[in-house]
Amino acid sequence: MLSSYGAVPVSPRNFYQLLGNGEAVLLYPGGAREGYKLKGEEYKLIWPRRPEMIRMAARFNATIVPLSAIGVDDGVNIALDGQEVLNLPIIGAKMKKRALGIPAARKGVTQSNEIE
């Protein structure tokens, strides 16, 4: 669905091609992981360890416009974070099985080597 708006999968190759073609690129460094924080992670930035996208933007002399939103962490109280849901009897096992079918947002990058 988002492809109809010009969205492409997040990958260094796509980022390189878009910048090389002079396209505007909207990128969320924290991605979905930053959007779904765990308990105790309020007001914490969760960005990739390797800033390859920033180096690539500099290579193409792209303008980087930092953007921030305040109040997001105060908008929702987390009753159970993701790990707590996965530890629930019955529901946790079903959620783990379902999660196996969800494709990764970035090919070749796992959360363990992406997030600090």
Side-chain angles (χ1 to χ4, degrees):
M1 179 173 114
L2 294 177
S3 61
S4 63
Y5 296 103
V8 297
V10 177
S11 72
R13 181 182 202 151
N14 284 341
F15 193 65
Y16 184 89
Q17 288 177 339
L18 290 167
L19 290 175
N21 291 335
E23 298 282 344
V25 178
L26 178 60
L27 180 69
Y28 299 92
R33 173 61 182 90
E34 193 169 57
Y36 294 98
K37 294 179 181 178
L38 304 174
K39 285 183 185 177
E41 292 183 339
E42 298 87 359
Y43 313 110
K44 179 180 177 186
L45 291 176
I46 302 172
W47 283 20
R49 287 183 189 171
R50 298 183 330 239
E52 74 272 2
M53 300 298 192
I54 295 170
R55 282 193 215 109
M56 201 178 305
R59 179 178 182 178
F60 285 97
N61 201 28
T63 301
I64 298 173
V65 181
L67 182 67
S68 178
I70 57 173
V72 175
D73 289 326
D74 296 321
V76 176
N77 290 324
I78 300 173
L80 296 173
D81 65 32
Q83 190 57 50
E84 291 171 323
V85 171
L86 293 176
N87 291 336
L88 289 172
I90 302 170
I91 295 172
K94 287 183 180 183
M95 294 298 288
K96 287 176 188 175
K97 184 176 179 182
R98 189 169 190 191
L100 293 174
I102 299 173
R106 291 183 65 189
K107 294 178 182 170
V109 178
T110 65
Q111 183 176 346
S112 62
N113 69 8
E114 174 76 356
I115 304 298
E116 283 190 26

